[in-house]
Short mmCIF file of all heavy atoms in Angstrom, two decimals:
data_model
loop_
_atom_site.label_atom_id
_atom_site.label_comp_id
_atom_site.label_asym_id
_atom_site.label_seq_id
_atom_site.Cartn_x
_atom_site.Cartn_y
_atom_site.Cartn_z
N PRO A 1307 -0.66 6.34 -9.81
CA PRO A 1307 -0.53 7.48 -9.09
C PRO A 1307 -1.64 7.78 -7.89
O PRO A 1307 -1.22 8.17 -6.78
CB PRO A 1307 -0.52 8.71 -10.02
CG PRO A 1307 -0.05 8.04 -11.37
CD PRO A 1307 -0.73 6.65 -11.29
N ASP A 1308 -2.85 7.47 -8.22
CA ASP A 1308 -3.85 7.61 -7.19
C ASP A 1308 -3.69 6.68 -5.98
O ASP A 1308 -3.95 7.09 -4.84
CB ASP A 1308 -5.35 7.35 -7.79
CG ASP A 1308 -5.46 6.00 -8.34
OD1 ASP A 1308 -4.62 5.41 -9.01
OD2 ASP A 1308 -6.61 5.40 -8.08
N ALA A 1309 -3.10 5.49 -6.28
CA ALA A 1309 -2.86 4.51 -5.18
C ALA A 1309 -1.67 4.95 -4.34
O ALA A 1309 -1.75 4.78 -3.12
CB ALA A 1309 -2.54 3.18 -5.76
N MET A 1310 -0.66 5.54 -4.96
CA MET A 1310 0.42 6.08 -4.13
C MET A 1310 -0.13 7.32 -3.24
O MET A 1310 0.18 7.21 -2.07
CB MET A 1310 1.51 6.74 -5.06
CG MET A 1310 2.75 7.20 -4.34
SD MET A 1310 3.97 7.77 -5.44
CE MET A 1310 4.75 6.17 -6.03
N ARG A 1311 -0.94 8.14 -3.80
CA ARG A 1311 -1.45 9.25 -2.98
C ARG A 1311 -2.45 8.64 -1.88
O ARG A 1311 -2.33 9.20 -0.74
CB ARG A 1311 -2.29 10.18 -3.88
CG ARG A 1311 -1.43 10.97 -4.88
CD ARG A 1311 -2.40 11.99 -5.47
NE ARG A 1311 -3.23 11.49 -6.50
CZ ARG A 1311 -2.99 11.42 -7.74
NH1 ARG A 1311 -1.81 11.74 -8.22
NH2 ARG A 1311 -3.85 10.89 -8.57
N PHE A 1312 -3.26 7.69 -2.16
CA PHE A 1312 -4.17 7.13 -1.17
C PHE A 1312 -3.44 6.52 -0.06
O PHE A 1312 -3.72 6.61 1.07
CB PHE A 1312 -5.11 6.22 -1.92
CG PHE A 1312 -6.16 5.62 -1.04
CD1 PHE A 1312 -7.10 6.41 -0.50
CD2 PHE A 1312 -6.29 4.21 -0.91
CE1 PHE A 1312 -8.14 5.82 0.40
CE2 PHE A 1312 -7.26 3.63 -0.11
CZ PHE A 1312 -8.23 4.46 0.53
N SER A 1313 -2.49 5.60 -0.48
CA SER A 1313 -1.72 4.87 0.65
C SER A 1313 -0.98 5.83 1.53
O SER A 1313 -0.96 5.64 2.78
CB SER A 1313 -0.82 3.80 0.05
OG SER A 1313 0.12 4.42 -0.93
N ALA A 1314 -0.38 6.90 0.93
CA ALA A 1314 0.32 7.89 1.72
C ALA A 1314 -0.67 8.64 2.63
O ALA A 1314 -0.25 8.97 3.84
CB ALA A 1314 1.11 8.89 0.90
N ALA A 1315 -1.88 8.98 2.15
CA ALA A 1315 -2.87 9.68 2.92
C ALA A 1315 -3.32 8.86 4.08
O ALA A 1315 -3.49 9.32 5.22
CB ALA A 1315 -4.02 10.07 2.09
N LEU A 1316 -3.40 7.51 3.93
CA LEU A 1316 -3.91 6.65 4.98
C LEU A 1316 -2.78 6.55 6.00
O LEU A 1316 -3.14 6.51 7.21
CB LEU A 1316 -4.19 5.22 4.42
CG LEU A 1316 -5.41 5.11 3.54
CD1 LEU A 1316 -5.55 3.65 3.10
CD2 LEU A 1316 -6.63 5.60 4.12
N LYS A 1317 -1.54 6.44 5.62
CA LYS A 1317 -0.42 6.33 6.59
C LYS A 1317 -0.38 7.68 7.38
O LYS A 1317 -0.19 7.66 8.63
CB LYS A 1317 0.90 6.20 5.85
CG LYS A 1317 2.05 5.93 6.66
CD LYS A 1317 2.04 4.50 7.28
CE LYS A 1317 3.21 4.23 8.02
NZ LYS A 1317 3.14 2.86 8.57
N ALA A 1318 -0.61 8.82 6.73
CA ALA A 1318 -0.59 10.20 7.38
C ALA A 1318 -1.73 10.29 8.35
O ALA A 1318 -1.64 10.97 9.40
CB ALA A 1318 -0.59 11.31 6.41
N ALA A 1319 -2.87 9.55 8.05
CA ALA A 1319 -3.99 9.60 8.92
C ALA A 1319 -3.80 8.66 10.15
O ALA A 1319 -4.70 8.53 11.02
CB ALA A 1319 -5.39 9.28 8.13
N GLY A 1320 -2.75 7.89 10.17
CA GLY A 1320 -2.60 7.06 11.36
C GLY A 1320 -2.95 5.58 11.22
O GLY A 1320 -2.88 4.75 12.11
N LEU A 1321 -3.38 5.21 10.01
CA LEU A 1321 -3.72 3.85 9.78
C LEU A 1321 -2.55 2.91 9.61
O LEU A 1321 -1.49 3.37 9.09
CB LEU A 1321 -4.63 3.63 8.55
CG LEU A 1321 -6.14 3.91 8.73
CD1 LEU A 1321 -6.45 5.34 8.92
CD2 LEU A 1321 -6.93 3.31 7.49
N ARG A 1322 -2.62 1.72 10.02
CA ARG A 1322 -1.63 0.72 9.80
C ARG A 1322 -1.87 0.13 8.36
O ARG A 1322 -3.08 -0.15 8.06
CB ARG A 1322 -1.54 -0.35 10.79
CG ARG A 1322 -1.20 0.24 12.22
CD ARG A 1322 -1.29 -0.86 13.28
NE ARG A 1322 -1.09 -0.27 14.55
CZ ARG A 1322 -1.05 -0.94 15.65
NH1 ARG A 1322 -1.38 -2.30 15.58
NH2 ARG A 1322 -0.85 -0.42 16.81
N LEU A 1323 -0.80 -0.17 7.61
CA LEU A 1323 -0.98 -0.75 6.21
C LEU A 1323 -0.30 -2.03 6.11
O LEU A 1323 0.75 -2.21 6.55
CB LEU A 1323 -0.40 0.32 5.25
CG LEU A 1323 -0.84 1.80 5.32
CD1 LEU A 1323 -0.22 2.57 4.07
CD2 LEU A 1323 -2.33 1.92 5.34
N ALA A 1324 -1.01 -2.90 5.34
CA ALA A 1324 -0.52 -4.20 5.13
C ALA A 1324 -0.67 -4.65 3.71
O ALA A 1324 -1.60 -4.20 3.00
CB ALA A 1324 -1.16 -5.25 5.99
N LEU A 1325 0.24 -5.43 3.05
CA LEU A 1325 0.10 -5.92 1.74
C LEU A 1325 -0.32 -7.35 1.88
O LEU A 1325 0.20 -8.06 2.73
CB LEU A 1325 1.42 -5.93 1.05
CG LEU A 1325 2.10 -4.59 0.80
CD1 LEU A 1325 3.57 -4.67 0.25
CD2 LEU A 1325 1.21 -3.77 -0.13
N ALA A 1326 -1.38 -7.88 1.06
CA ALA A 1326 -1.79 -9.12 1.08
C ALA A 1326 -2.13 -9.53 -0.32
O ALA A 1326 -3.35 -9.68 -0.69
CB ALA A 1326 -3.00 -9.29 2.01
N SER A 1327 -1.14 -9.73 -1.19
CA SER A 1327 -1.34 -10.18 -2.50
C SER A 1327 -1.12 -11.64 -2.57
O SER A 1327 -0.28 -12.13 -1.93
CB SER A 1327 -0.41 -9.34 -3.50
OG SER A 1327 -0.48 -9.94 -4.76
N SER A 1328 -1.78 -12.28 -3.60
CA SER A 1328 -1.43 -13.69 -3.76
C SER A 1328 -0.14 -13.85 -4.47
O SER A 1328 0.52 -14.90 -4.38
CB SER A 1328 -2.44 -14.39 -4.73
OG SER A 1328 -3.78 -14.28 -4.10
N SER A 1329 0.46 -12.75 -5.12
CA SER A 1329 1.70 -12.70 -5.79
C SER A 1329 2.88 -12.71 -4.81
O SER A 1329 2.88 -11.90 -3.94
CB SER A 1329 1.73 -11.62 -6.79
OG SER A 1329 3.05 -11.48 -7.24
N ARG A 1330 3.91 -13.39 -5.19
CA ARG A 1330 5.15 -13.28 -4.37
C ARG A 1330 6.05 -12.29 -4.88
O ARG A 1330 7.21 -11.97 -4.33
CB ARG A 1330 5.93 -14.75 -4.46
CG ARG A 1330 5.13 -15.76 -3.71
CD ARG A 1330 5.88 -17.12 -3.96
NE ARG A 1330 5.08 -18.21 -3.27
CZ ARG A 1330 5.43 -19.49 -3.31
NH1 ARG A 1330 6.51 -19.88 -4.13
NH2 ARG A 1330 4.67 -20.42 -2.71
N ASN A 1331 5.69 -11.51 -5.93
CA ASN A 1331 6.42 -10.46 -6.56
C ASN A 1331 6.10 -9.08 -6.07
O ASN A 1331 6.74 -8.11 -6.57
CB ASN A 1331 6.30 -10.50 -8.13
CG ASN A 1331 6.64 -11.86 -8.64
OD1 ASN A 1331 5.76 -12.65 -8.92
ND2 ASN A 1331 7.83 -12.16 -8.87
N ALA A 1332 5.20 -9.01 -5.11
CA ALA A 1332 4.68 -7.71 -4.68
C ALA A 1332 5.82 -6.77 -4.10
O ALA A 1332 5.91 -5.68 -4.58
CB ALA A 1332 3.56 -7.79 -3.68
N ALA A 1333 6.58 -7.31 -3.19
CA ALA A 1333 7.63 -6.51 -2.58
C ALA A 1333 8.75 -6.17 -3.48
O ALA A 1333 9.17 -5.01 -3.47
CB ALA A 1333 8.12 -7.23 -1.43
N ALA A 1334 8.98 -6.99 -4.43
CA ALA A 1334 10.02 -6.63 -5.49
C ALA A 1334 9.63 -5.45 -6.26
O ALA A 1334 10.49 -4.56 -6.66
CB ALA A 1334 10.33 -7.86 -6.40
N MET A 1335 8.42 -5.32 -6.64
CA MET A 1335 7.87 -4.24 -7.39
C MET A 1335 7.83 -2.94 -6.53
O MET A 1335 8.31 -1.86 -6.91
CB MET A 1335 6.53 -4.55 -8.00
CG MET A 1335 6.48 -5.60 -9.09
SD MET A 1335 4.90 -5.81 -9.90
CE MET A 1335 3.97 -6.51 -8.66
#
């Protein structure tokens, strides 16, 4: 839950967000 709040707060603050996991399953989750 803290990660959901944090990423939403960063987006609201105008930051661009990217995913960079070694896992290929990230988007599916």
Side-chain angles (χ1 to χ4, degrees):
D1308 63 315
M1310 183 178 284
R1311 290 188 289 265
F1312 184 61
S1313 52
L1316 294 184
K1317 189 72 172 178
L1321 275 73
R1322 296 175 180 177
L1323 306 186
L1325 298 171
S1327 169
S1328 301
S1329 171
R1330 294 176 180 172
N1331 303 98
M1335 290 189 288

